[in-house]
Amino acid sequence: MNEIIDAYSTPGTERETCLTATELLKLMDSAGIHRAVVAPEDREIAVNNTSGNDRILRMAGQSSGRLIPACTANPWLGRSACQELRRSAAAGARMLVLAPALQGFCFGDELPAELLAASAELRVPVYVHSGPHSFGSPTQLLLAAAEHPGARFILGHCGSTDYAADMPAVLASAPDNVWFELSLVRPWAAAAYAKAGHRDRLIFGSSAPRNCPAFELRMLDALLPVQDYPDIFGGNFAALLAEVQS
Amino acid sequence: MIVDCHTHWADCFQSRDGLDPSRWLADEARHGVTHALVLPYLGLLDDRLLRQENDDLAAVCAASAGRMIPFCTVNPFRKVEAVAEFRRAIEVLKMRGLKIHPWLQGVSINSDAMDELCEMAGHWKMPVLFHDGTPCYSLPSQAAMLARRHPKTTMVLGHCGLFEHWREAIAAMRGAENLWGCLCGPHLAALSEIVRRCDCQRLLWGSDFGFSFADVAGYRLGLLQSLRLNDSDYERITAENPKRLLGPVFSN
Ligand SMILES: [Zn+2]
């Protein structure tokens, strides 16, 4: 059995992300997921970067390697955002999460340039949440990816819902440094992306606890069998992580 | 009885099946769906097609032995034609409500023509269902303002805000007593929060089946069932509320 990796989950403490590490591990067990990325929750992404990163690093440190820590840094913090990324990466963070709507910038503008340069240097992939509408659209990410060829980007949610119409064109013209994460993408759309020839760029993610990993995986499996697409369900993401400098 | 309160009759079905709904119904029945509120599709994209589509949709639903309940569409951008077509759809075609997709149709929820259509709908006791969750024409808060201006008209958020405006949908439904919500679009955690915080008597469930041949009803019914609602809330959302919304149109 190939390893299934869930590229995004938010074991948080408030609002709709409440989930302990123990509960997350239980959800993973019931879904057959071996490892999962754990990312800071909304408040931590917006304002409490450092304490959020520390919480996640601690949680991952106690998981016998099953939880992969992601970190965040608000680009408005400028130099200190870069320092926070370097500090977190040195402590084990394997992915940088940006959420333009929560952090207050439009993806594609120059604000995160230094942070993206730092992520390129560390080979830490940058997960960018798409939506809501004006912030983090797939096309904004494509412009930024061309501008920062050394950085590696993961488009979270593939622009679901309202940018789904852009996705065939976006997938077809995406530069080599962009991957696409599938949480919130509906199973029939995910299957269409894979069958249009883009399986090497697609990455499974659940966004637990916003979604139930076992349910999403079961629905996906019906259209995109896990055993036929080991790359999408783990391989592509594992290859990205393998390059992160530690 | 399970009523799917957000479905479409799209041209892909019509080119395959003509005006015969049996295969469409069989796809829904596989998931236990017994009845559906059916919305237009092409007419939302091109108002030159909406009159014909209202005719076709009425005919398709008439062939469903009462299992499909048709909603018409009109384009409020052309007020005079919109008012006349709404009247025709209700009085002649016997359709049961109005669907507006302000984003696709290119009109704001807040407009003169929309006010007039909502008054008509209130007079006939016909619900108005909106696409929602998309700026700049289809925000839940925009629908709430309209609903407050027309307290006798029942309005429905067709998507409860989708992924990004579901908190706003909760506020909208709490702020306008005649605004209902169809659980069709938000993720599981959002659905759970909507059910927890909104008046359960005004919630519906929908799949958005019928845009294409994709089998979406199983997925969205699975999401609803993942909420593990108590029996009475599940029954309300899937059957009792739709019956109250649509009136005595169910034949079985
Ligand atoms: Zn729809």
Side-chain angles (χ1 to χ4, degrees):
Chain A
M1 180 74 188
N2 290 294
E3 185 188 38
I4 298 179
I5 308 179
D6 178 347
Y8 208 86
S9 77
T10 314
T13 60
E14 60 178 335
R15 307 236 276 187
E16 80 273 16
T17 62
C18 284
L19 185 74
T20 65
T22 315
E23 288 164 339
L24 173 61
L25 289 164
K26 230 191 260 171
L27 286 179
M28 290 163 63
D29 288 339
S30 72
I33 292 169
H34 302 89
R35 289 193 290 159
V37 170
V38 286
E41 64 185 322
D42 289 1
R43 189 187 304 274
E44 294 163 341
I45 289 176
V47 290
N48 295 344
N49 300 165
T50 301
S51 58
N53 293 338
D54 285 342
R55 181 177 71 85
I56 291 297
L57 284 162
R58 248 188 339 265
M59 180 187 292
Q62 292 161 358
S63 71
S64 316
R66 290 193 68 195
L67 304 180
I68 304 164
C71 66
T72 188
N74 191 321
W76 280 107
L77 297 170
R79 280 275 149 75
S80 19
C82 298
Q83 278 160 14
E84 181 58 21
L85 169 62
R86 288 180 195 285
R87 183 192 76 88
S88 303
R94 317 287 286 169
M95 184 168 95
L96 171 66
V97 175
L98 296 180
L102 284 175
Q103 295 176 321
F105 68 102
C106 249
F107 211 75
D109 81 14
E110 72 297 343
L111 190 78
E114 266 186 273
L115 192 55
L116 297 178
S119 79
E121 191 193 309
L122 299 163
R123 302 297 286 153
V124 170
V126 184
Y127 180 102
V128 184
H129 280 275
S130 48
H133 304 81
S134 303
F135 303 93
S137 76
T139 44
Q140 289 167 352
L141 179 75
L142 283 207
L143 290 179
E147 205 39 39
H148 299 275
R152 298 179 301 158
F153 296 92
I154 301 170
L155 174 65
H157 324 308
C158 295
S160 299
T161 300
D162 290 327
Y163 292 114
D166 280 357
M167 281 304 293
V170 164
L171 283 161
S173 60
D176 291 344
N177 57 336
V178 184
W179 284 259
F180 298 88
E181 186 265 352
L182 294 171
S183 64
L184 303 186
V185 178
R186 296 321 187 190
W188 49 95
Y193 299 160
K195 284 164 190 166
H198 305 291
R199 60 183 290 173
D200 54 330
R201 303 293 194 94
L202 300 179
I203 290 173
F204 165 71
S206 75
S207 272
R210 288 186 169 99
N211 290 310
C212 167
F215 176 75
E216 295 295 325
L217 207 50
R218 182 156 47 83
M219 291 287 140
L220 270 171
D221 185 52
L223 299 172
L224 206 58
V226 173
Q227 60 171 7
D228 297 343
Y229 292 90
D231 42 4
I232 294 177
F233 291 96
N236 292 339
F237 190 61
L240 262 176
L241 292 188
E243 280 187 43
V244 178
Q245 295 187 355
S246 40
Chain B
M1 176 181 205
I2 296 179
V3 187
D4 184 340
C5 286
H6 191 141
T7 71
H8 296 268
W9 174 260
D11 51 335
C12 58
F13 283 92
Q14 193 151 326
S15 15
R16 190 189 67 184
D17 303 334
L19 299 176
D20 174 5
S22 30
R23 288 176 76 184
W24 189 102
L25 281 165
D27 284 349
E28 285 275 82
R30 237 169 341 116
H31 304 289
V33 173
T34 54
H35 296 79
L37 192 168
V38 191
L39 309 169
Y41 173 66
L42 278 184
L44 304 173
L45 302 166
D46 183 343
D47 61 4
R48 290 168 300 183
L49 304 176
L50 67 81
R51 222 181 123 87
Q52 181 66 50
E53 191 179 43
N54 287 337
D55 287 342
D56 292 347
L57 189 51
V60 168
C61 295
S64 73
R67 294 174 59 199
M68 298 164 81
I69 297 118
F71 273 35
C72 67
T73 194
V74 302
N75 191 327
F77 187 74
R78 303 180 200 287
K79 183 172 167 183
V80 175
E81 290 92 326
V83 165
E85 179 61 6
F86 190 26
R87 183 173 294 283
R88 186 185 78 93
I90 300 300
E91 291 181 348
V92 180
L93 302 178
K94 308 293 179 206
M95 299 177 95
R96 304 296 307 176
L98 175 65
K99 157 76 184 253
I100 299 287
H101 198 309
W103 169 42
L104 287 182
Q105 294 182 303
V107 283
S108 173
I109 282 187
N110 289 295
S111 69
D112 232 28
M114 205 74 90
D115 279 327
E116 182 153 345
L117 293 166
C118 288
E119 281 305 299
M120 293 169 74
H123 171 74
W124 286 319
K125 301 199 180 343
M126 296 289 160
V128 183
L129 186 149
F130 290 101
H131 168 87
D132 77 295
T134 316
C136 57
Y137 286 159
S138 305
L139 291 176
S141 56
Q142 291 172 309
M145 289 300 108
L146 183 75
R148 284 190 193 179
R149 283 206 300 285
H150 303 281
K152 294 203 177 96
T153 310
T154 300
M155 303 189 195
V156 183
L157 298 174
H159 293 296
C160 283
L162 294 171
F163 289 133
E164 291 156 348
H165 293 277
W166 58 269
R167 287 185 196 284
E168 182 180 333
I170 292 173
M173 284 186 270
R174 291 169 69 99
E177 285 177 1
N178 52 328
L179 187 60
W180 295 39
C182 185
L183 302 171
C184 175
H187 52 66
L188 185 64
L191 295 176
S192 149
E193 197 61 9
I194 294 166
V195 172
R196 191 175 73 80
R197 295 192 51 206
C198 293
D199 174 9
C200 192
Q201 310 266 14
R202 288 185 274 144
L203 295 178
L204 309 162
W205 166 78
S207 72
D208 225 344
F209 170 67
F211 260 118
S212 68
F213 296 132
D215 184 20
V216 306
Y219 178 79
R220 291 221 165 88
L221 196 58
L223 271 185
L224 183 76
Q225 287 160 352
S226 303
L227 292 174
R228 298 180 206 286
L229 300 170
N230 63 46
D231 289 352
S232 67
D233 283 350
Y234 186 80
E235 180 70 15
R236 268 196 199 111
I237 291 171
T238 54
E240 295 307 319
N241 295 344
K243 276 200 236 170
R244 216 159 19 85
L245 178 79
L246 296 164
V249 295
F250 294 102
S251 63
N252 49 29

